[in-house]
């Protein structure tokens, strides 16, 4: 398990920020990622779309497949600042999807994005071009453990200013919830199952 502390915003000047990063940061990778999110009909994560604390997803990326579970904290808050994260590589996404289906999980939404990432000042900075949603910037702390969450959040804000990101309000929901809202999928897994 690792704790993940990040900030995400809609990005209005993708090309300018990418040029800045190419000149000042270490390029890490460019990947096409397809994230399929799941919910469980027996114990839904999506009782209230404004308070989803748990996510289960399969990521397909460059012929690599991972199963990922995130639990967002603090609970009871509309704005979550960090999460506990568990991830493992899987050899067969088809078999994993069958396992999930047979134990009560169903697909809720799919996030299809092109991600470019750089490392700068102890932060991983990613620009995501998300199908149906547009461009986003995500800054995730990669430095030493044991730092105060608020200190790390301030560092992330400072990095966003340094790279010259022209951003909108912070995205506390994430791509999956934004797509669910856009496609009117304010449903629990039980409702999704009924509609299939």
């Amino acid at each position: 398990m690792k704790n993940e502390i990040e900030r995400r915003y809609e990005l209005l000047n993708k090309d300018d920020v990418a040029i800045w990063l190419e000149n000042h940061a270490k390029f890490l990778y460019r990947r096409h990622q397809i994230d399929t999110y799941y919910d469980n009909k027996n114990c839904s994560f999506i009782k209230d779309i404004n308070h989803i604390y748990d996510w289960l997803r399969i990521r397909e990326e460059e012929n690599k497949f991972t199963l990922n579970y995130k639990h967002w904290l603090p609970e009871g808050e509309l704005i979550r600042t960090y999460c506990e994260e568990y991830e493992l590589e899987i050899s067969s996404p088809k078999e994993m999807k069958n396992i999930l289906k047979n134990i009560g999980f169903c697909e809720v939404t799919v996030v299809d994005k092109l991600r470019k990432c750089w490392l700068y000042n102890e932060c991983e900075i990613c620009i995501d071009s998300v199908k149906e949603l547009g461009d986003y910037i995500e800054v995730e702390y990669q430095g030493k453990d044991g730092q105060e969450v608020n200190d790390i959040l301030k560092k992330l804000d400072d990095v966003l200013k340094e790279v010259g990101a022209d951003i909108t309000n912070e995205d506390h929901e994430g791509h999956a919830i934004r797509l669910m809202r856009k496609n009117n999928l304010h449903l629990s897994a039980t409702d999704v199952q009924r509609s299939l």
Side-chain angles (χ1 to χ4, degrees):
M1 178 193 75
K2 70 172 185 171
N3 283 333
E4 179 181 273
I5 303 173
E6 65 185 25
R7 295 260 204 216
R8 181 189 305 107
Y9 296 86
E10 187 174 0
L11 181 62
L12 304 177
N13 62 335
K14 175 181 79 170
D15 294 338
D16 294 339
V17 173
I19 289 168
W20 192 97
L21 290 167
E22 289 294 337
N23 291 320
H24 298 90
K26 178 184 176 186
F27 181 72
L28 296 176
Y29 61 85
R30 177 186 186 275
R31 295 183 186 147
H32 181 204
Q33 297 175 334
I34 299 174
D35 295 338
T36 305
Y37 287 84
Y38 292 86
D39 196 14
N40 191 295
K41 65 181 178 182
N42 301 313
C43 185
S44 178
F45 302 148
I46 313 175
K47 295 177 180 79
D48 173 1
I49 197 164
N50 294 314
H51 296 89
I52 300 174
Y53 303 107
D54 300 283
W55 279 120
L56 183 69
R57 74 157 193 241
I58 291 177
R59 171 169 287 171
E60 302 177 40
E61 170 181 35
E62 308 290 319
N63 295 318
K64 178 182 173 186
F65 305 93
T66 54
L67 179 69
N68 177 283
Y69 168 77
K70 292 183 182 186
H71 179 73
W72 286 94
L73 298 162
E75 287 188 13
E77 298 293 328
L78 187 59
I79 297 173
R80 275 91 51 199
T81 54
Y82 67 101
C83 74
E84 297 171 345
E85 181 176 28
Y86 303 86
E87 185 170 275
L88 58 91
E89 197 165 337
I90 53 177
S91 58
S92 172
K94 182 179 178 183
E95 289 301 308
M96 188 73 244
K97 289 175 183 182
N98 284 333
I99 290 169
L100 291 174
K101 182 179 178 183
N102 281 292
I103 59 173
F105 284 86
C106 63
E107 183 181 309
V108 176
T109 193
V110 176
V111 176
D112 187 336
K113 67 180 181 281
L114 182 61
R115 170 168 277 193
K116 292 175 77 173
C117 289
W118 295 263
L119 188 63
Y120 177 75
N121 195 10
E122 297 186 305
C123 295
E124 183 177 87
I125 303 169
C126 298
I127 296 177
D128 291 336
S129 295
V130 186
K131 192 174 182 180
E132 295 186 58
L133 293 179
D135 298 319
Y136 290 80
I137 187 167
E138 183 176 294
V139 183
E140 181 180 338
Y141 179 68
Q142 298 289 314
K144 296 176 186 173
D145 291 336
Q147 305 291 320
E148 290 292 323
V149 171
N150 286 334
D151 292 339
I152 292 172
L153 292 173
K154 183 183 181 316
K155 180 182 183 71
L156 299 179
D157 290 338
D158 291 343
V159 166
L160 282 163
K161 287 178 190 168
E162 279 187 67
V163 304
D166 184 5
I167 53 179
T168 62
N169 294 330
E170 186 172 1
D171 176 11
H172 295 288
E173 295 183 328
H175 304 320
I177 293 178
R178 282 185 174 272
L179 277 172
M180 288 169 65
R181 286 188 191 283
K182 182 174 181 172
N183 296 313
N184 279 332
L185 291 176
H186 303 195
L187 306 171
S188 69
T190 307
D191 296 324
V192 172
Q193 282 294 106
R194 281 193 208 112
S195 68
L196 297 177

